[in-house]
C-alpha cells in the first residue's frame, strides 16, 4: 500500500533579496508563481487557491508585486483590492517554501509553493 508523508514547514526564514525568490514556484496542485528579480510576479491558477477565495477578483493569470521584509513580503495584486496579504517564508535558509497568507504568525500555511529545480 502506498504511503504519503506530507511535511509542513513551520520555521520562519529571512528572505532579504529578490534573487532568493527569483524563479518559478509550484504548489502541490500545479499552480505556479514566477517571481522576477524586480519584485514582480505572474501567477497561474491562483484564483483556484485559498488566496483566490480570500481576495475576490484574482484572475487565472494574475500579476502583482512583492516587497520583501524578512520572513515575509507585502503582496499587491494588480487590479485587485486585497489588503494585508503577505507572502510568508518557512523552512531553512537553503530550502524554504513560500505561501500567501494574512497571518504570518500562524507558523505555516496551506498552499505551499516550492521553487522548481532548473
Amino acid at each position: 500500500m502506498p504511503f504519503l508523508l506530507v511535511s509542513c514547514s513551520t520555521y520562519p526564514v529571512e528572505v532579504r533579496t529578490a534573487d532568493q525568490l527569483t524563479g518559478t514556484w509550484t504548489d502541490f496542485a500545479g499552480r505556479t508563481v514566477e517571481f522576477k528579480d524586480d519584485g514582480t510576479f505572474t501567477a497561474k491558477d491562483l484564483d483556484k487557491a485559498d488566496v483566490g477565495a480570500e481576495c475576490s477578483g484574482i484572475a487565472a493569470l494574475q500579476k502583482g508585486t512583492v516587497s520583501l521584509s524578512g520572513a515575509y513580503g507585502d503582496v499587491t495584486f494588480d487590479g485587485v483590492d486585497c489588503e494585508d496579504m503577505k507572502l510568508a517564508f518557512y523552512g531553512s535558509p537553503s530550502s524554504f517554501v513560500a505561501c500567501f497568507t494574512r497571518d504570518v504568525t500562524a507558523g505555516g500555511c496551506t498552499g505551499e509553493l516550492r521553487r522548481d529545480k532548473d
Side-chain angles (χ1 to χ4, degrees), residues 36-66:
K36 301 197 174 56
D37 58 7
D38 64 357
T40 62
F41 64 85
T42 301
K44 292 182 183 168
D45 296 328
L46 216 58
D47 59 322
K48 297 177 183 100
D50 289 346
V51 67
E54 290 185 46
C55 301
S56 63
I58 289 185
L61 182 63
Q62 182 66 53
K63 294 183 181 283
T65 58
V66 60

Side-chain angles (χ1 to χ4, degrees), residues 38-39 48 74 78 93 101 105 112:
D38 64 357
K48 297 177 183 100
D74 292 308
D78 295 354
T101 183
T105 63
E112 291 181 346

Side-chain angles (χ1 to χ4, degrees), residues 55-89:
C55 301
S56 63
I58 289 185
L61 182 63
Q62 182 66 53
K63 294 183 181 283
T65 58
V66 60
S67 300
L68 299 175
S69 56
Y72 67 90
D74 292 308
V75 174
T76 303
F77 295 105
D78 295 354
V80 177
D81 185 19
C82 186
E83 294 183 24
D84 302 322
M85 187 55 66
K86 309 285 188 214
L87 184 66
F89 310 109

Side-chain angles (χ1 to χ4, degrees), residues 5 8 12 14 25 27 34 36 61 65-66 96-97 109 112:
L5 176 64
C8 297
E14 298 279 318
W25 295 64
D27 72 4
E34 181 183 358
K36 301 197 174 56
L61 182 63
T65 58
V66 60
F96 62 92
V97 297
C109 49
E112 291 181 346

Side-chain angles (χ1 to χ4, degrees), residues 88-108:
F89 310 109
Y90 300 101
S92 70
S94 62
S95 178
F96 62 92
V97 297
C99 56
F100 292 98
T101 183
R102 283 199 165 109
D103 185 3
V104 296
T105 63

